[in-house]
Amino acid sequence: MTVAYDPRLPSVLANPYPVFRELQDAEPVHPSTILGGWVLTRYADVRACLTDTRLSSDRITPFVQHRAGRAHTAAGRTDVPAIETLGRTLGLWAVFTDPPKHTHLRALMNRAFTPRAVERLRPRIEEIVDELIERVRARGRLDLIRDFAYPLPIAVIGDMLGVPATDREHLKEWSDELAMFVGSAVATPDKYERAAKSLARMRDYFLSLVVDRRRGPRDDLLSALVAAEDRNDVLSEDEIVATSILLLFAGHETTTNLIGNGMLALLRAPRELARLRDNPALAESAVEEMLRYDGPSGVMTRIAAEDVAIDGAKIVRGDRLFLMINAANRDPRQFDDPDRLDVAREPNRHVAFGAGIHFCVGAPLARLEAQIAVPALLAALPDLALGSAQLDWLDSLVFRGVRSMPVSFRSS
């Protein structure tokens, strides 16, 4: 039986879980002509592939080579320069590299995101959350994404990097354009050119900050990266810029969608919302359940570096594998009653942040932000309710979230 899976459909963007269950039951390794690769949905397969050294995380190099090759056979191709521009910088992102390059690029990031280093940010995160909630109370209205789930993580990662608050809206605009490429937008035909232009602007911006930090170091992560370069320790200038863009991009994109999707799940499960509101000590397990139930990262892509066999399917070297993270996290073979939100679920071995050497370096920070933000929001704003059942989901295979989420609350 062949399952009809089309990630472009609005109904699938809004709720992919029914078709994921069909794929898990009938075709767990699904050949997709739409995506040009294999779609994997079972937990065991996804988790195994995340740590399989026969599968490469470098999807940028083969993509650039493939598109450039097609340019020789198709007249009038205008996207090749844009793709080459994207490739030069994104090829230096740790998430798109394999060892030993990956080990080299990740070294300083690991130091910046240790649990101890992240815990030191708690007072600042609490301060930002309180400020955002006070603004919402003063306005008397709330778009949960625009007014809360986005400004919190961009402020935190911006502070860490040393990005002035006045520049963050421009960076958000550029980041959104870049997300169409990185997130594999399926309905945006000019995504390469738009992403390349925005990435070039982000690169110029961070180059200027690097020059500034060389003249006068500050107590921020960007200064630490520059100091490491000066010691010939870890990163070159190109790597500093690429890493800074990655940290800014991933540092807010994932957490915005974690908080947004998590709050949406709670609003649709009022008993669990009340359970967490009445017992804030459940914050840690509740955030893990939000990550499992409808996580911010829908898929992680791998390229077969050699021929492999998965569940009887023959994967040929060069094939793309789409590891459907959110499908794996709803697999009934791994989780009891997986379609039910349970803020106290134990055990909860989800793969929302990946696994192995590419486990999300920012996971401790994303977790802490959500653990602080969600209970604070529930405590401060009584009678939260969705303003509309119709939500505009992101055009993205990789990033799962909504663009806007108006909610109502009782003014105290």
Side-chain angles (χ1 to χ4, degrees):
M1 171 184 174
T2 299
V3 178
Y5 170 57
D6 187 346
R8 300 168 298 185
L9 296 175
S11 59
V12 174
L13 282 173
N15 183 13
Y17 297 103
V19 72
F20 284 164
R21 185 62 50 80
E22 290 181 45
L23 288 166
Q24 287 168 339
D25 292 342
E27 207 171 18
V29 185
H30 168 72
S32 171
T33 54
I34 293 172
L35 296 178
W38 301 88
V39 174
L40 280 65
T41 50
R42 286 185 181 173
Y43 179 92
D45 293 335
V46 168
R47 189 172 185 89
C49 287
L50 286 170
T51 57
D52 193 330
T53 56
R54 299 171 299 174
L55 305 178
S56 170
S57 294
D58 181 7
R59 67 180 177 92
I60 299 299
T61 301
F63 177 79
V64 172
Q65 292 173 344
H66 173 70
R67 300 293 294 200
R70 286 179 60 183
H72 292 298
T73 58
R77 288 298 300 275
T78 61
D79 62 1
V80 172
I83 290 167
E84 290 175 344
T85 298
L86 290 166
R88 279 192 294 273
T89 297
L90 299 186
L92 294 174
W93 280 18
V95 293
F96 296 139
T97 59
D98 301 315
K101 188 176 183 179
H102 171 267
T103 309
H104 163 75
L105 290 171
R106 182 144 172 164
L108 263 188
M109 289 193 291
N110 283 341
R111 298 180 211 170
F113 290 93
T114 63
R116 180 179 296 181
V118 168
E119 183 60 30
R120 287 198 293 268
L121 297 171
R122 179 181 291 273
R124 176 57 179 150
I125 295 171
E126 292 173 339
E127 180 183 16
I128 296 168
V129 167
D130 290 344
E131 289 173 358
L132 292 173
I133 288 174
E134 286 308 309
R135 289 181 202 167
V136 167
R137 280 176 166 159
R139 279 194 301 264
R141 64 182 186 276
L142 168 63
D143 183 312
L144 208 144
I145 304 300
R146 184 192 63 217
D147 301 328
F148 192 80
Y150 160 68
L152 169 61
I154 194 69
V156 173
I157 193 64
D159 284 354
M160 287 182 70
L161 283 166
V163 172
T166 52
D167 296 341
R168 290 171 193 169
E169 279 307 308
H170 290 301
L171 288 164
K172 170 61 174 171
E173 294 171 9
W174 300 335
S175 183
D176 286 347
E177 297 282 282
L178 181 58
M180 289 188 292
F181 172 71
V182 176
S184 298
V186 291
T188 310
D190 61 342
K191 61 184 177 182
Y192 305 126
E193 291 84 356
R194 290 167 64 178
K197 288 178 183 177
S198 291
L199 183 61
R201 293 185 180 115
M202 293 177 83
R203 177 177 168 76
D204 289 344
Y205 177 83
F206 276 104
L207 277 171
S208 69
L209 288 188
V210 167
V211 171
D212 180 74
R213 295 308 188 272
R214 285 205 183 97
R215 291 173 180 160
R218 303 181 190 178
D219 183 19
D220 57 37
L221 182 53
L222 188 56
S223 295
L225 296 175
V226 171
E229 179 206 18
D230 291 342
R231 295 194 307 269
N232 294 319
D233 184 7
V234 179
L235 302 176
S236 68
E237 183 172 85
D238 284 344
E239 290 167 342
I240 290 173
V241 170
T243 298
S244 298
I245 295 172
L246 169 61
L247 290 173
L248 181 94
F249 178 82
H252 81 273
E253 197 77 39
T254 299
T255 310
T256 295
N257 293 335
L258 164 57
I259 295 171
N261 294 357
M263 284 300 302
L264 177 61
L266 287 171
L267 290 166
R268 288 174 168 173
R271 288 186 180 180
E272 294 303 293
L273 186 152
R275 190 180 179 193
L276 176 58
R277 182 196 60 218
D278 297 340
N279 186 4
L282 289 173
E284 186 173 331
S285 64
V287 169
E288 297 308 305
E289 179 68 343
M290 293 171 185
L291 287 161
R292 183 203 69 83
Y293 183 79
D294 197 10
S297 300
V299 62
M300 295 183 187
T301 306
R302 296 291 185 268
I303 307 295
E306 58 184 86
D307 295 354
V308 295
I310 303 174
D311 276 346
K314 295 181 179 180
I315 313 297
V316 178
R317 179 184 178 186
D319 281 359
R320 289 193 294 175
L321 292 86
F322 297 92
L323 312 181
M324 310 307 288
I325 300 299
N326 283 345
N329 286 336
R330 293 272 196 111
D331 188 348
R333 295 157 189 81
Q334 175 67 24
F335 300 97
D336 295 333
D337 199 3
D339 294 325
R340 180 175 66 88
L341 184 75
D342 177 1
V343 296
R345 183 181 292 270
E346 289 289 346
N348 194 349
R349 295 186 66 232
H350 63 77
V351 288
F353 288 123
I357 63 170
H358 283 282
F359 184 83
C360 177
V361 70
L365 179 58
R367 283 175 161 137
L368 181 62
E369 290 180 58
Q371 289 166 13
I372 293 171
V374 172
L377 201 61
L378 298 183
L381 303 179
D383 299 334
L384 279 168
L386 275 176
S388 172
Q390 297 297 318
L391 297 170
D392 185 13
W393 289 88
L394 298 174
D395 170 28
S396 177
L397 190 68
V398 174
F399 304 118
R400 175 150 179 84
V402 296
R403 292 184 173 86
S404 176
M405 195 190 307
V407 297
S408 62
F409 59 92
R410 175 166 47 88
S411 298
S412 55

